[in-house]
Amino acid sequence: MLDLWKFAERNFSRTSWSGLALGLVTALVFLFATDRLLFSGNAHLQVGMQKNAVRPDERVVKVWRDRQDPRGFVQSSLLKLPENQFGLAWISSSPISIRQAPPGHRFFGRAAYELTEVMAAQVKRINGKPLWIHEYMIQGARTGDERRAVLHAASDPSVDAILMTMNPPWLFNDWLQYTKSNQRASIFAMKGSRFGDFLQGLKFVRPSWILEAKLSRYFSFVRNRYAFNRAVQKANRLPFPLMHKPEAKKSKYINLNYFYPGKYFRAPKNMEKYKGYRATLMKQTLSEKGQGSKFFKLDIQTLAESGKPVLLYISPLPKEMRTDKEGVAYMQAYADLAKKIIKKYGGPNIHIATDTAFSISDKLIHKDIVHMHYGQALVDKLETLMVTDLNLKVEKAGGPSVYESKKR
Amino acid sequence: MGGNANFGIIVDFVVLSTIVLALRAIFPRAITVYVSIAVIGAYAIYSVAPRMLPAYLFFWVIIYLFQWSMHLAATRLNGWVSRILTTVVILATLSPMVIWKFWQGPFMDWFSRTFALLLWHTFPQVIAADAIASILAPIGLSFMIFRALDLLIKVRLGLLKPIAPLELLYYAFFAPVLAVGPIIEYEEVRLPRKLSRLPAPGDVAVGVFRISLGVSKVMILAALLSRGADAFWKGGQTGFVGAWAALWLFSLYFYINFSGYSDMAIGASRIHGIKLKENFNNPFLKTNPQAFWAAWHMSLTRWVQRYVFIPLGGMRKNKQYFAAFMTIMAIAFWHGISYNMLIFGLYQGGLVVAHRWLLNKRLASHTQENKTLPVSAFKSFGIFTSQALAFPLLTIPLSDIPSFYAHLIPGM
């Protein structure tokens, strides 16, 4: 039927080198032509976008695609942005995700939302243009993932300025540099990637993925394979021959914290409830030799070359940590390393705010070291810094508070 | 590091084959190919999940020692001491597979924990790569164990001398077959000491064709067949006709997908002039169960034929039914030790034994088999359907078996 080994032996086993070369070239030309003929165009490109990727009413667009989609990010042409918009890229992992907001702090009645939405609701215009926030965020993104977001935002002409969250426990943490996704290899096909990206990537990316990423530049069916695959798949349907959804079996041994020796779990009394995250935070490699530092250095080089105004800030930590001497000292070393790298590899367009780690903690409600239940003060602080440090003209909106408990 | 391990390992190997070919052109010796392919194989395992590499290395160190034990049993020891040593070595080699198949959950946890901790304490540099691994099950374990057993038994029988550590690592980490087979024999991959600087262009051409065929089967045909089966199945809400359509499409998917991977493995090896034995020979065109098994996953069938069927007296008239039945049971339990596989084995074994009995009866009565095209096509369809009925047993939970098969009966 389709076991064609006799056919293969009969027809190919006496091939010469020139015949082989001719065959390969012909096959490539055929593939290329077929690809242009059948797969070019934007069919299925919407597949892989995050839910509510384009929300014109809130002027927030989610640029990061579904983590399984190897294309990584949505092209700005698909985001339906107005021509005269001011694009502010906000690159972050989960610290900008507000979770379980208590009554009175819910965003138009929603207990789960992103700070990007709050900022878009409050700031109408920047430099006289309507503000559109390009949200580069997937849950669990780590320094290696954010590297790709930096490359994308830096080279996207619709992005005018960049805000970047420095995640306190993860930025320089060599224990975990990526979230699970199919997107790691896309860096090999991204505009602006550097030799350092190649060296870093080799540690975490398989050769087959690099091949796919390289081919995806030339072949639409490779680039859009996830979309094509999803297009023929009916979502949420049980596959044959299953009758019930199988129970998800998750081994606890993939949980990073499980492997920490007990000694890392010590914490001052008032930090007891954060001790797991605190242990993670204090397990970073605070030297330029660390993996995280190398990614950060590459980010800074790319951002400097882009010439776009950039504001990096340390995501706020809970107020209890202010009295944790060891923790504060650690964060000071963390900030010093970041400043050192920026000084060495950055440019005048890059600004860093390290005081955000503790200066506004009183006004926030933290869920844990990374996440918050309420984060208005951070948005206010960032708005101020955009004016003072980035020299942007920020026009705030009046009107009712976004935290009124009603649905928009 | 994750991803589709089965596909990824073979494609990784194809990509890195350029390095093997370049090294071979500079140093045209078998040792060049042995070292480079072993390193690529080890890297492929690392790529799936770094914690697996120390586990697999440990296993093959044990196998290296075991082959000397087998050599000792064959050459120096006599009688019961030799027999006991042989039995212990075979059981010990089989044990990881048996434990894995019997106690999958606890074994997975133990495996994952032990080797992750080992790695994390010895090579903390790889923690970041290990933490994002998607697969924590010991990939290709059953293939690896049957590969090891083949070597050990051949050493015990005096058919092979114990092989050197480097050659063993090459055999152990022969990348194209690591994830989904076929189950190779050492003689298939052994190379002459001196090699030509380049493999024969015909070998490369056949290899490239087989890889392309495999990729097309897996990525296009199998994917479409699987989606087609799901579409007819409608999440279990389908009727009698839909269920049968889904069953047939799923069976075609099962075959195309598996044979596609075999094509890729055989093609990837052939690029280097290494000719692996075939693993599929159009099984759904066969007209009886015995011919089906001789054409389906042939490397496994050859293995069980050598080490189960023949030792159990399959070539003798009075033991042939028992041997054939036990051979099929061995195939079933190789896939998993469960009630599902017991049913699978009983069903398949029953078919093979019944066919053998009918064949013997016909031979005795000198009745000619009708081999006209319509009759052959009808028989092939029968074989296809009889196999299609068994494949879901590999996937569905035991408790769902009655309700699943009820879908195939009109009015149920």
Side-chain angles (χ1 to χ4, degrees):
Chain A
M1 202 153 57
L2 278 169
D3 297 319
L4 302 173
W5 42 275
K6 284 178 189 160
F7 169 85
E9 296 297 337
R10 226 177 12 247
N11 291 286
F12 300 110
S13 61
R14 284 187 294 277
T15 309
S16 62
W17 284 114
S18 54
L20 177 63
L22 189 69
L24 286 174
V25 170
T26 311
L28 274 176
V29 170
F30 173 76
L31 273 180
F32 193 74
T34 311
D35 182 67
R36 282 287 170 280
L37 214 65
L38 297 179
F39 299 106
S40 60
N42 287 340
H44 313 302
L45 280 175
Q46 301 289 346
V47 176
M49 279 184 174
Q50 290 191 54
K51 204 178 166 193
N52 300 325
V54 185
R55 292 184 296 193
D57 59 324
E58 288 159 19
R59 288 173 294 110
V60 175
V61 286
K62 290 178 181 287
V63 187
W64 214 316
R65 287 181 184 273
D66 181 302
R67 67 180 63 232
Q68 301 308 329
D69 190 335
R71 289 172 296 182
F73 304 100
V74 183
Q75 305 97 303
S76 49
S77 59
L78 286 172
L79 292 172
K80 298 170 189 165
L81 297 163
E83 264 184 35
N84 67 338
Q85 55 100 38
F86 183 92
L88 176 68
W90 193 338
I91 301 167
S92 179
S93 49
S94 56
I96 59 166
S97 274
I98 298 297
R99 296 165 180 189
Q100 299 155 4
H105 296 304
R106 292 182 178 162
F107 182 75
F108 291 106
R110 280 195 281 134
Y113 55 92
E114 266 74 63
L115 291 180
T116 49
E117 299 174 71
V118 179
M119 183 176 280
Q122 282 188 191
V123 178
K124 289 292 177 204
R125 303 171 80 82
I126 291 184
N127 290 355
K129 296 175 179 175
L131 167 68
W132 279 71
I133 296 184
H134 300 215
E135 185 189 291
Y136 287 82
M137 197 274 287
I138 49 168
Q139 299 293 331
R142 298 282 175 259
T143 313
D145 302 302
E146 287 170 351
R147 169 71 190 132
R148 298 192 304 276
V150 166
L151 276 173
H152 193 266
S155 65
D156 185 345
S158 66
V159 169
D160 298 293
I162 298 170
L163 258 185
M164 190 168 168
T165 312
M166 294 160 66
N167 192 326
W170 295 114
L171 180 65
F172 298 121
N173 203 317
D174 291 350
W175 288 50
L176 202 58
Q177 289 291 305
Y178 288 99
T179 185
K180 285 184 185 178
S181 83
N182 287 339
Q183 298 173 345
R184 292 199 287 282
S186 64
I187 199 156
F188 289 96
M190 287 184 83
K191 232 189 255 177
S193 55
R194 313 169 80 89
F195 184 64
D197 287 309
F198 182 74
L199 292 181
Q200 285 289 85
L202 280 183
K203 297 174 193 166
F204 301 99
V205 179
R206 307 170 63 150
S208 50
W209 290 14
I210 299 173
L211 177 72
E212 284 174 3
K214 291 284 180 197
L215 289 176
S216 71
R217 287 182 89 146
Y218 308 103
F219 293 99
S220 182
F221 71 88
V222 180
R223 182 166 59 252
N224 296 320
R225 60 195 182 281
Y226 173 82
F228 292 133
N229 191 32
R230 285 286 298 274
V232 291
Q233 191 177 29
K234 293 279 180 201
N236 301 323
R237 238 182 209 180
L238 272 177
F240 181 86
L242 295 185
M243 309 281 296
H244 301 102
K245 201 174 175 185
E247 273 179 48
K249 283 179 191 164
K250 201 173 174 184
S251 171
K252 63 181 176 181
Y253 301 112
I254 55 172
N255 183 353
L256 201 65
N257 287 339
Y258 179 81
F259 293 104
Y260 286 180
K263 62 182 176 179
Y264 292 127
F265 280 89
R266 279 182 297 131
K269 240 183 188 172
N270 64 335
M271 285 294 287
E272 191 68 16
K273 64 175 173 176
Y274 302 126
K275 67 178 181 182
Y277 257 123
R278 186 180 177 272
T280 309
L281 186 145
M282 298 180 74
K283 195 73 190 81
Q284 296 180 79
T285 308
L286 297 184
S287 88
E288 284 194 59
K289 286 180 184 165
Q291 300 275 4
S293 313
K294 286 176 185 163
F295 278 124
F296 190 65
K297 176 189 139 185
L298 290 165
D299 286 346
I300 297 304
Q301 286 173 323
T302 301
L303 292 169
E305 278 170 16
S306 77
K308 295 175 181 178
V310 176
L311 176 65
L312 295 117
Y313 71 95
I314 299 180
S315 185
L317 290 154
K319 58 177 181 277
E320 294 89 334
M321 201 168 166
R322 281 175 176 171
T323 52
D324 172 6
K325 279 184 189 167
E326 206 185 347
V328 170
Y330 201 90
M331 281 312 296
Q332 187 57 52
Y334 170 106
D336 290 345
L337 175 63
K339 282 180 183 168
K340 188 178 159 191
I341 292 172
I342 290 172
K343 196 175 171 191
K344 213 164 158 184
Y345 304 102
N349 60 322
I350 301 177
H351 300 264
I352 180 169
T354 54
D355 68 322
T356 44
F358 293 112
S359 66
I360 49 172
S361 301
D362 281 336
K363 299 174 193 165
L364 304 166
I365 305 174
H366 271 84
K367 179 176 180 284
D368 50 51
I369 273 186
V370 178
H371 306 106
M372 291 181 277
H373 294 303
Y374 176 59
Q376 178 61 46
L378 174 62
V379 176
D380 293 339
K381 174 80 179 175
L382 293 174
E383 279 172 27
T384 309
L385 288 169
M386 284 197 291
V387 176
T388 56
D389 289 21
L390 303 187
N391 290 323
L392 300 175
K393 285 179 191 157
V394 174
E395 289 174 45
K396 293 186 77 162
S401 161
V402 294
Y403 297 108
E404 282 180 357
S405 56
K406 63 177 183 186
K407 294 218 161 63
R408 186 157 66 171
Chain B
M1 284 184 270
N4 179 339
N6 301 342
F7 193 75
I9 286 181
I10 300 177
V11 182
D12 284 350
F13 178 74
V14 173
V15 174
L16 297 173
S17 281
T18 48
I19 299 173
V20 182
L21 291 171
L23 288 171
R24 173 179 167 168
I26 302 166
F27 309 107
R29 297 277 187 280
I31 196 165
T32 312
V33 177
Y34 288 168
V35 172
S36 48
I37 287 186
V39 168
I40 291 173
Y43 171 76
I45 295 290
Y46 170 90
S47 294
V48 175
R51 68 184 70 176
M52 281 182 198
L53 189 54
Y56 283 31
L57 277 170
F58 178 73
F59 175 82
W60 284 100
V61 168
I62 300 289
I63 295 302
Y64 178 73
L65 299 175
F66 277 178
Q67 62 164 352
W68 283 103
S69 310
M70 286 302 222
H71 184 63
L72 193 71
T75 54
R76 300 273 173 86
L77 303 172
N78 291 315
W80 62 271
V81 181
S82 167
R83 279 198 290 277
I84 286 177
L85 184 60
T86 304
T87 310
V88 167
V89 166
I90 289 174
L91 290 179
T93 307
L94 268 174
S95 61
M97 188 175 93
V98 174
I99 294 168
W100 151 247
K101 290 187 189 296
F102 252 124
W103 297 283
Q104 213 166 82
F107 179 83
M108 240 175 88
D109 277 353
W110 172 85
F111 176 88
S112 212
R113 181 173 181 271
T114 306
F115 289 100
L117 277 175
L118 180 75
L119 200 67
W120 287 38
H121 284 299
T122 49
F123 294 98
Q125 305 89 312
V126 302
I127 288 173
D130 190 63
I132 46 173
S134 314
I135 296 179
L136 298 174
I139 188 167
L141 184 73
S142 309
F143 291 100
M144 186 174 80
I145 284 177
F146 269 32
R147 205 157 69 236
L149 272 176
D150 186 71
L151 178 74
L152 293 174
I153 295 171
K154 281 179 178 159
V155 171
R156 174 65 184 83
L157 296 174
L159 300 171
L160 279 176
K161 283 184 179 162
I163 56 178
L166 202 58
E167 287 170 53
L168 184 73
L169 281 177
Y170 160 69
Y171 179 56
F173 290 100
F174 190 76
V177 303
L178 283 180
V180 269
I183 302 165
I184 52 169
E185 299 166 51
Y186 176 66
E187 299 93 312
E188 286 177 74
V189 294
R190 185 167 49 191
L191 294 168
R193 190 170 287 186
K194 278 190 177 179
L195 298 171
S196 56
R197 286 193 186 273
L198 292 170
D203 282 341
V204 180
V206 172
V208 170
F209 174 78
R210 295 295 296 271
I211 292 168
S212 313
L213 179 67
V215 171
S216 310
K217 281 183 180 179
V218 172
M219 300 302 281
I220 304 170
L221 273 177
L224 288 174
L225 286 165
S226 163
R227 302 291 182 273
D230 296 347
F232 275 111
W233 183 236
K234 293 178 184 167
Q237 304 302 309
T238 189
F240 162 73
V241 176
W244 274 98
L247 182 77
W248 283 320
L249 288 179
F250 178 75
S251 307
L252 284 174
Y253 150 76
F254 205 78
Y255 153 64
I256 300 269
N257 194 50
F258 196 179
S259 75
Y261 278 119
S262 294
D263 279 319
M264 287 166 70
I266 291 167
S269 312
R270 189 65 180 270
I271 283 179
H272 300 279
I274 299 164
K275 292 182 185 174
L276 302 187
K277 290 177 186 168
E278 292 301 330
N279 207 27
F280 286 87
N281 186 16
N282 301 312
F284 289 149
L285 296 183
K286 305 303 171 199
T287 53
N288 64 65
Q290 202 164 310
F292 170 84
W293 281 108
W296 174 273
H297 198 179
M298 294 150 78
S299 62
L300 176 62
T301 311
R302 282 192 293 268
W303 197 101
V304 288
Q305 205 165 17
R306 279 197 301 278
Y307 302 125
V308 182
F309 183 73
I310 293 173
L312 287 178
M315 307 306 271
R316 276 176 261 154
K317 211 174 174 184
N318 59 337
K319 291 189 175 175
Q320 57 172 319
Y321 298 118
F322 172 72
F325 184 78
M326 292 312 289
T327 303
I328 294 293
M329 288 310 286
I331 290 176
F333 287 134
W334 180 84
H335 288 89
I337 301 174
S338 64
Y339 285 113
N340 281 31
M341 286 301 101
L342 179 67
I343 299 168
F344 182 90
L346 290 171
Y347 172 74
Q348 297 282 12
L351 287 178
V352 167
V353 168
H355 166 257
R356 201 167 254 266
W357 180 76
L358 284 171
L359 187 71
N360 286 338
K361 216 173 151 192
R362 193 164 57 221
L363 285 175
S365 61
H366 304 286
T367 316
Q368 286 292 312
E369 191 182 0
N370 187 339
K371 286 185 176 172
T372 57
L373 188 65
V375 173
S376 293
F378 181 74
K379 285 181 178 175
S380 293
F381 181 70
I383 286 299
F384 170 54
T385 303
S386 68
Q387 294 305 324
L389 283 166
F391 289 140
L393 289 169
L394 298 165
T395 316
I396 49 176
L398 183 67
S399 55
D400 283 351
I401 289 177
S403 53
F404 170 78
Y405 284 102
H407 272 82
L408 301 170
I409 302 166
M412 292 283 280

